[in-house]
Amino acid sequence: MKVYDTILKKPWPYWVGGILLGVLNVILLLETKTSWGISTGFLGWGVYILEKFGFDPSKWHYFVMNRNTFEIGETFVKNHYTILILAMILGSLISTLLASEFNWKRIKNKKQLFFGLLGGILMGYGARLSHGCNIGAYFSAIPSFSLHGWIFGIFMFVGAWIGCKILLKFIL
């Protein structure tokens, strides 16, 4: 029981998590020939939903300029990003259940809902402007010696600092 608690219930040291994430990212790169990314998959899901409502986002400027997002035969939903997202959600759920940490949280009020949605929309929009989120544009870029990962990281920390100031002054 002590091993179970040590592995699943207690937080791991940051260096262990960092090494494991790095090793898993290398394995992913070797197996799929692509780096870890999440926000592009969510973009695909959003486009799929818009298509079901009769929109044609494939003609939008962003998608005309970024046609190489998916491999041949892949669609906005049927692609490797969807598999990564579903695996990440399922893995998170399993680890949370094994640690007995799963808990539904209620939305406190409409203000929390509004700012949560606004924050999510701004994060998604920012991820598309920078061609990736903190996973694809930061975590996967820096180990591959890409300059844009370092620039992304600097502005991500600046944005987090500004966001914390706004959160503390106006929301909490």
Side-chain angles (χ1 to χ4, degrees), residues 77-167:
V77 172
K78 183 185 163 197
N79 58 63
H80 63 280
Y81 292 109
T82 294
I83 295 168
L84 285 172
I85 291 170
L86 292 177
M88 191 173 71
I89 292 171
L90 184 62
S92 299
L93 176 64
I94 290 170
S95 65
T96 305
L97 289 172
L98 289 173
S100 303
E101 294 288 328
F102 185 80
N103 186 13
W104 292 101
K105 292 189 177 179
R106 301 186 120 226
I107 298 171
K108 292 178 185 171
N109 52 42
K110 290 179 183 177
K111 182 179 173 184
Q112 183 188 29
L113 177 64
F114 171 77
F115 282 109
L117 287 173
L118 180 65
I121 290 169
L122 289 173
M123 286 174 54
Y125 186 70
R128 289 300 88 211
L129 286 179
S130 62
H131 289 275
C133 60
N134 59 336
I135 302 295
Y138 179 67
F139 179 74
S140 293
I142 288 180
S144 63
F145 303 110
S146 176
L147 177 62
H148 90 277
W150 291 102
I151 295 170
F152 182 94
I154 290 168
F155 285 99
M156 180 176 67
F157 284 107
V158 169
W161 183 80
I162 293 171
C164 287
K165 292 291 182 186
I166 292 171
L167 187 69

